[in-house]
Amino acid sequence: MNEHELKSALQEVMVASSPPPPMSPEAALDRGRRAQRRRQATWGGAVAGLAVVAIAVGAVMVPTLTGGGPGIQVAGGQPSESAPRVTPTDRPPSERPSATVLPTGGPSATVLPPSGRPLSDTSTPWPNGQSDRTATSGPRADKGVRLLNDLASSLPPGVRAEDRTRIGFADYGPMTWRQAQFAEYAGDLEVWNYDARTPVVITGEAGVGELFIRVETRGNTRLGDLVGCAAATRYAYPVEGGACALVDVGGKQVALVTGATPDADSNTMDSAAFYRHPDGTLVTVGYSSEFLESGHPALSRPALTGTQLAALAADPKFHLD
């Protein structure tokens, strides 16, 4: 068999193979609780494709070719200085999405460093000497820890953040979680996403709710320049449906969405508050009276009112850079 015949044989095998299912960038980055299921589907298809290629190449008496690339680490390890008061369990390696996911700015976003060269897995100018998007130590990782701590300490009387273990949903990762992740460059400016999630309980009740916060630093492009309800309803995360209204918090206009229906598949919640600071920093706080896919019962009543949720979004302590 000559080189041309070998190439043709390999091409026929690859065309006949079923490619792995596509990875949705928004799901890979925003729907952490679905990561295990997506990982199994994606890698299962990839392994099957590699097996077919190996069989075809072996049949024509040539060496087996193998390859691979590192995955993007989603959850950071423990920071260098302090541990959170609500101690999260780091997401296991099985929770890491494929390194082919696109930036958090949305499917059409392109992460460009100051040089204008797109980021890639073969030539990746990650900031601060990182090996991937997620900061696992240093000042950025410490901000992720502080975000979780501040969220836990800002709850109203009778409500507290309390780490729990999932019942029957072990593959979905820890219930208490935080991370600091590089999102994109805006010129020479680094744009970062700081996320934290914690179970919340009401004193004297058996149920468990969920509280989530995301801080997108200035220069972020995920929602463009949208503010108020236009920003709150732009994407179905962390809330879809419901009714949006502007709430005044000390002169700050916060978009508050209430009355939504939580959806585990879309990772959406009961309610959410959105506040964009004058410099463009966007703070999103989401709440559900039920922690979906946790195995725990829901709270019988909301742990936070809409006004309290809006106050969290506008709190200066969550204005990170």
Side-chain angles (χ1 to χ4, degrees), residues 117-137:
R117 182 177 57 179
L119 298 174
S120 69
D121 294 316
T122 57
S123 178
T124 306
W126 302 114
N128 311 315
Q130 294 174 199
S131 59
D132 59 27
R133 293 184 186 276
T134 304
T136 57
S137 63

PDB file of all heavy atoms in Angstrom, residues 117-137:
ATOM      1  N   ARG A 117      -3.188  37.640  19.217  1.00  0.00           N
ATOM      2  CA  ARG A 117      -3.164  36.233  18.831  1.00  0.00           C
ATOM      3  C   ARG A 117      -4.136  35.444  19.692  1.00  0.00           C
ATOM      4  O   ARG A 117      -4.090  35.525  20.911  1.00  0.00           O
ATOM      5  CB  ARG A 117      -1.752  35.664  19.016  1.00  0.00           C
ATOM      6  CG  ARG A 117      -1.621  34.199  18.589  1.00  0.00           C
ATOM      7  CD  ARG A 117      -0.195  33.719  18.722  1.00  0.00           C
ATOM      8  NE  ARG A 117       0.301  33.879  20.081  1.00  0.00           N
ATOM      9  CZ  ARG A 117       1.526  33.521  20.462  1.00  0.00           C
ATOM     10  NH1 ARG A 117       2.376  33.068  19.589  1.00  0.00           N
ATOM     11  NH2 ARG A 117       1.899  33.679  21.717  1.00  0.00           N
ATOM     12  N   PRO A 118      -5.069  34.681  19.084  1.00  0.00           N
ATOM     13  CA  PRO A 118      -6.052  33.935  19.880  1.00  0.00           C
ATOM     14  C   PRO A 118      -5.369  32.960  20.825  1.00  0.00           C
ATOM     15  O   PRO A 118      -4.313  32.403  20.520  1.00  0.00           O
ATOM     16  CB  PRO A 118      -6.879  33.188  18.826  1.00  0.00           C
ATOM     17  CG  PRO A 118      -6.667  33.969  17.566  1.00  0.00           C
ATOM     18  CD  PRO A 118      -5.268  34.501  17.645  1.00  0.00           C
ATOM     19  N   LEU A 119      -5.991  32.753  21.994  1.00  0.00           N
ATOM     20  CA  LEU A 119      -5.500  31.761  22.929  1.00  0.00           C
ATOM     21  C   LEU A 119      -5.778  30.371  22.385  1.00  0.00           C
ATOM     22  O   LEU A 119      -6.792  30.123  21.776  1.00  0.00           O
ATOM     23  CB  LEU A 119      -6.206  31.917  24.283  1.00  0.00           C
ATOM     24  CG  LEU A 119      -6.000  33.252  25.000  1.00  0.00           C
ATOM     25  CD1 LEU A 119      -6.875  33.298  26.235  1.00  0.00           C
ATOM     26  CD2 LEU A 119      -4.555  33.439  25.376  1.00  0.00           C
ATOM     27  N   SER A 120      -4.875  29.458  22.610  1.00  0.00           N
ATOM     28  CA  SER A 120      -5.067  28.076  22.172  1.00  0.00           C
ATOM     29  C   SER A 120      -4.340  27.165  23.134  1.00  0.00           C
ATOM     30  O   SER A 120      -3.573  27.601  23.986  1.00  0.00           O
ATOM     31  CB  SER A 120      -4.534  27.877  20.743  1.00  0.00           C
ATOM     32  OG  SER A 120      -3.121  27.972  20.733  1.00  0.00           O
ATOM     33  N   ASP A 121      -4.566  25.865  22.992  1.00  0.00           N
ATOM     34  CA  ASP A 121      -3.910  24.918  23.877  1.00  0.00           C
ATOM     35  C   ASP A 121      -2.467  24.661  23.475  1.00  0.00           C
ATOM     36  O   ASP A 121      -1.699  24.111  24.241  1.00  0.00           O
ATOM     37  CB  ASP A 121      -4.686  23.594  23.881  1.00  0.00           C
ATOM     38  CG  ASP A 121      -6.063  23.787  24.506  1.00  0.00           C
ATOM     39  OD1 ASP A 121      -6.137  24.450  25.541  1.00  0.00           O
ATOM     40  OD2 ASP A 121      -7.036  23.290  23.935  1.00  0.00           O
ATOM     41  N   THR A 122      -2.092  24.999  22.244  1.00  0.00           N
ATOM     42  CA  THR A 122      -0.718  24.792  21.811  1.00  0.00           C
ATOM     43  C   THR A 122       0.124  26.050  21.991  1.00  0.00           C
ATOM     44  O   THR A 122       1.332  25.978  22.053  1.00  0.00           O
ATOM     45  CB  THR A 122      -0.682  24.373  20.326  1.00  0.00           C
ATOM     46  OG1 THR A 122      -1.352  25.379  19.546  1.00  0.00           O
ATOM     47  CG2 THR A 122      -1.397  23.044  20.138  1.00  0.00           C
ATOM     48  N   SER A 123      -0.527  27.204  22.077  1.00  0.00           N
ATOM     49  CA  SER A 123       0.184  28.454  22.298  1.00  0.00           C
ATOM     50  C   SER A 123      -0.691  29.319  23.194  1.00  0.00           C
ATOM     51  O   SER A 123      -1.520  30.075  22.729  1.00  0.00           O
ATOM     52  CB  SER A 123       0.474  29.175  20.970  1.00  0.00           C
ATOM     53  OG  SER A 123       1.124  30.406  21.204  1.00  0.00           O
ATOM     54  N   THR A 124      -0.525  29.171  24.501  1.00  0.00           N
ATOM     55  CA  THR A 124      -1.454  29.763  25.440  1.00  0.00           C
ATOM     56  C   THR A 124      -0.764  30.774  26.347  1.00  0.00           C
ATOM     57  O   THR A 124      -0.125  30.391  27.312  1.00  0.00           O
ATOM     58  CB  THR A 124      -2.105  28.662  26.313  1.00  0.00           C
ATOM     59  OG1 THR A 124      -2.690  27.687  25.466  1.00  0.00           O
ATOM     60  CG2 THR A 124      -3.160  29.245  27.218  1.00  0.00           C
ATOM     61  N   PRO A 125      -0.879  32.061  26.054  1.00  0.00           N
ATOM     62  CA  PRO A 125      -0.272  33.068  26.930  1.00  0.00           C
ATOM     63  C   PRO A 125      -1.162  33.366  28.120  1.00  0.00           C
ATOM     64  O   PRO A 125      -1.653  34.476  28.295  1.00  0.00           O
ATOM     65  CB  PRO A 125      -0.141  34.279  25.993  1.00  0.00           C
ATOM     66  CG  PRO A 125      -1.302  34.152  25.056  1.00  0.00           C
ATOM     67  CD  PRO A 125      -1.508  32.668  24.871  1.00  0.00           C
ATOM     68  N   TRP A 126      -1.432  32.344  28.937  1.00  0.00           N
ATOM     69  CA  TRP A 126      -2.259  32.570  30.116  1.00  0.00           C
ATOM     70  C   TRP A 126      -1.579  33.578  31.031  1.00  0.00           C
ATOM     71  O   TRP A 126      -0.355  33.621  31.117  1.00  0.00           O
ATOM     72  CB  TRP A 126      -2.494  31.263  30.875  1.00  0.00           C
ATOM     73  CG  TRP A 126      -3.142  30.178  30.078  1.00  0.00           C
ATOM     74  CD1 TRP A 126      -2.579  29.002  29.714  1.00  0.00           C
ATOM     75  CD2 TRP A 126      -4.467  30.163  29.558  1.00  0.00           C
ATOM     76  NE1 TRP A 126      -3.471  28.250  28.985  1.00  0.00           N
ATOM     77  CE2 TRP A 126      -4.637  28.938  28.874  1.00  0.00           C
ATOM     78  CE3 TRP A 126      -5.532  31.063  29.590  1.00  0.00           C
ATOM     79  CZ2 TRP A 126      -5.818  28.598  28.247  1.00  0.00           C
ATOM     80  CZ3 TRP A 126      -6.712  30.722  28.955  1.00  0.00           C
ATOM     81  CH2 TRP A 126      -6.850  29.501  28.298  1.00  0.00           C
ATOM     82  N   PRO A 127      -2.344  34.374  31.754  1.00  0.00           N
ATOM     83  CA  PRO A 127      -1.732  35.387  32.614  1.00  0.00           C
ATOM     84  C   PRO A 127      -1.068  34.782  33.840  1.00  0.00           C
ATOM     85  O   PRO A 127      -1.386  33.663  34.256  1.00  0.00           O
ATOM     86  CB  PRO A 127      -2.926  36.260  33.020  1.00  0.00           C
ATOM     87  CG  PRO A 127      -4.099  35.343  32.949  1.00  0.00           C
ATOM     88  CD  PRO A 127      -3.811  34.420  31.795  1.00  0.00           C
ATOM     89  N   ASN A 128      -0.134  35.538  34.396  1.00  0.00           N
ATOM     90  CA  ASN A 128       0.486  35.208  35.685  1.00  0.00           C
ATOM     91  C   ASN A 128       1.162  33.840  35.713  1.00  0.00           C
ATOM     92  O   ASN A 128       1.245  33.203  36.762  1.00  0.00           O
ATOM     93  CB  ASN A 128      -0.574  35.267  36.807  1.00  0.00           C
ATOM     94  CG  ASN A 128      -1.387  36.541  36.771  1.00  0.00           C
ATOM     95  OD1 ASN A 128      -0.836  37.629  36.615  1.00  0.00           O
ATOM     96  ND2 ASN A 128      -2.703  36.426  36.889  1.00  0.00           N
ATOM     97  N   GLY A 129       1.600  33.367  34.544  1.00  0.00           N
ATOM     98  CA  GLY A 129       2.299  32.086  34.497  1.00  0.00           C
ATOM     99  C   GLY A 129       1.415  30.882  34.706  1.00  0.00           C
ATOM    100  O   GLY A 129       1.910  29.782  34.984  1.00  0.00           O
ATOM    101  N   GLN A 130       0.084  31.047  34.553  1.00  0.00           N
ATOM    102  CA  GLN A 130      -0.823  29.925  34.762  1.00  0.00           C
ATOM    103  C   GLN A 130      -0.720  28.916  33.629  1.00  0.00           C
ATOM    104  O   GLN A 130      -0.379  29.267  32.495  1.00  0.00           O
ATOM    105  CB  GLN A 130      -2.270  30.439  34.855  1.00  0.00           C
ATOM    106  CG  GLN A 130      -2.526  31.304  36.066  1.00  0.00           C
ATOM    107  CD  GLN A 130      -3.918  31.918  36.047  1.00  0.00           C
ATOM    108  OE1 GLN A 130      -4.162  32.890  36.729  1.00  0.00           O
ATOM    109  NE2 GLN A 130      -4.827  31.365  35.253  1.00  0.00           N
ATOM    110  N   SER A 131      -1.090  27.658  33.945  1.00  0.00           N
ATOM    111  CA  SER A 131      -1.082  26.618  32.919  1.00  0.00           C
ATOM    112  C   SER A 131      -2.443  26.479  32.249  1.00  0.00           C
ATOM    113  O   SER A 131      -2.566  25.783  31.251  1.00  0.00           O
ATOM    114  CB  SER A 131      -0.691  25.270  33.548  1.00  0.00           C
ATOM    115  OG  SER A 131      -1.601  24.916  34.577  1.00  0.00           O
ATOM    116  N   ASP A 132      -3.486  27.114  32.801  1.00  0.00           N
ATOM    117  CA  ASP A 132      -4.800  27.128  32.184  1.00  0.00           C
ATOM    118  C   ASP A 132      -5.564  28.336  32.722  1.00  0.00           C
ATOM    119  O   ASP A 132      -4.973  29.235  33.313  1.00  0.00           O
ATOM    120  CB  ASP A 132      -5.560  25.812  32.397  1.00  0.00           C
ATOM    121  CG  ASP A 132      -5.758  25.481  33.869  1.00  0.00           C
ATOM    122  OD1 ASP A 132      -5.803  26.416  34.691  1.00  0.00           O
ATOM    123  OD2 ASP A 132      -5.891  24.288  34.203  1.00  0.00           O
ATOM    124  N   ARG A 133      -6.862  28.376  32.526  1.00  0.00           N
ATOM    125  CA  ARG A 133      -7.645  29.551  32.914  1.00  0.00           C
ATOM    126  C   ARG A 133      -7.723  29.781  34.421  1.00  0.00           C
ATOM    127  O   ARG A 133      -7.826  30.911  34.879  1.00  0.00           O
ATOM    128  CB  ARG A 133      -9.086  29.425  32.371  1.00  0.00           C
ATOM    129  CG  ARG A 133      -9.205  29.481  30.878  1.00  0.00           C
ATOM    130  CD  ARG A 133     -10.682  29.450  30.463  1.00  0.00           C
ATOM    131  NE  ARG A 133     -10.809  29.367  29.019  1.00  0.00           N
ATOM    132  CZ  ARG A 133     -10.759  30.412  28.211  1.00  0.00           C
ATOM    133  NH1 ARG A 133     -10.587  31.610  28.712  1.00  0.00           N
ATOM    134  NH2 ARG A 133     -10.872  30.259  26.907  1.00  0.00           N
ATOM    135  N   THR A 134      -7.753  28.707  35.190  1.00  0.00           N
ATOM    136  CA  THR A 134      -8.081  28.804  36.598  1.00  0.00           C
ATOM    137  C   THR A 134      -6.859  29.093  37.457  1.00  0.00           C
ATOM    138  O   THR A 134      -5.826  28.428  37.334  1.00  0.00           O
ATOM    139  CB  THR A 134      -8.749  27.500  37.072  1.00  0.00           C
ATOM    140  OG1 THR A 134      -9.883  27.241  36.256  1.00  0.00           O
ATOM    141  CG2 THR A 134      -9.174  27.611  38.525  1.00  0.00           C
ATOM    142  N   ALA A 135      -6.983  30.084  38.340  1.00  0.00           N
ATOM    143  CA  ALA A 135      -5.921  30.390  39.298  1.00  0.00           C
ATOM    144  C   ALA A 135      -6.110  29.501  40.518  1.00  0.00           C
ATOM    145  O   ALA A 135      -7.155  29.536  41.170  1.00  0.00           O
ATOM    146  CB  ALA A 135      -5.982  31.855  39.698  1.00  0.00           C
ATOM    147  N   THR A 136      -5.125  28.680  40.815  1.00  0.00           N
ATOM    148  CA  THR A 136      -5.209  27.764  41.949  1.00  0.00           C
ATOM    149  C   THR A 136      -4.429  28.255  43.156  1.00  0.00           C
ATOM    150  O   THR A 136      -4.496  27.654  44.230  1.00  0.00           O
ATOM    151  CB  THR A 136      -4.693  26.370  41.547  1.00  0.00           C
ATOM    152  OG1 THR A 136      -3.343  26.492  41.065  1.00  0.00           O
ATOM    153  CG2 THR A 136      -5.556  25.776  40.447  1.00  0.00           C
ATOM    154  N   SER A 137      -3.667  29.333  42.998  1.00  0.00           N
ATOM    155  CA  SER A 137      -2.930  29.925  44.110  1.00  0.00           C
ATOM    156  C   SER A 137      -2.642  31.376  43.764  1.00  0.00           C
ATOM    157  O   SER A 137      -2.815  31.806  42.620  1.00  0.00           O
ATOM    158  CB  SER A 137      -1.616  29.169  44.367  1.00  0.00           C
ATOM    159  OG  SER A 137      -0.763  29.262  43.233  1.00  0.00           O
TER     160      SER A 137
END
